[in-house]
Amino acid sequence: TKIGGYCKMIIAQPRRIAASTLMKRVQSVVGANVVALRMGHGVREGDKNSNTAITFVTTEYLVRLLGFHPEAFDSHTHLIIDEVHE
C-alpha cells in the first residue's frame, strides 16, 4: 500500500452535538481547511471544497444524502458510521 495516498471520508454521528464537537476537535489538530460539517436544515461549518478530506455529518443527513444524491459517495474513499446500533 502507498502511504500518504488520496483519502476522503464521511464520518457520521447520531447526534448533532457529537458531530459538531468531534469536527471542532479534529479541526484543531489537522487544520480548518481539510474538515467540514454538514447537518441538514442549512447547518454547515467549514468550506466544502476539493481540499476537504473529512466531512462530519449526522446520521439523518447521511441517509438523505444516500437517498437523494448517491453519486456524492463516488468521490469518497471511506464511510465511518459511529453508533450504528442506534
Side-chain angles (χ1 to χ4, degrees), residues 28-50:
S28 73
V29 174
V30 299
N33 59 336
V34 296
V35 182
L37 174 71
R38 299 292 181 267
M39 293 195 286
H41 302 292
V43 177
R44 60 183 60 192
E45 194 171 323
D47 292 328
K48 183 106 165 94
N49 56 45
S50 60

Side-chain angles (χ1 to χ4, degrees), residues 5-6 8 23 25-26 31 34 36-38 45-46 48-49 56 58 60 62-63 65 69 72 84:
Y6 176 79
K8 191 167 185 175
M23 186 273 306
R25 173 66 178 125
V26 172
V34 296
L37 174 71
R38 299 292 181 267
E45 194 171 323
K48 183 106 165 94
N49 56 45
F56 290 92
T58 57
E60 179 183 342
L62 180 71
V63 169
L65 189 63
H69 301 285
V84 73

Side-chain angles (χ1 to χ4, degrees), residues 9 14 63-64 71 83:
M9 63 183 84
V63 169
R64 289 181 182 269
E71 70 281 358
E83 303 289 342

Side-chain angles (χ1 to χ4, degrees), residues 10 61-63 65-67 69-77 79:
I10 295 175
Y61 183 90
L62 180 71
V63 169
L65 189 63
L66 182 60
H69 301 285
E71 70 281 358
F73 295 91
D74 292 344
S75 63
H76 290 83
T77 59
L79 174 60

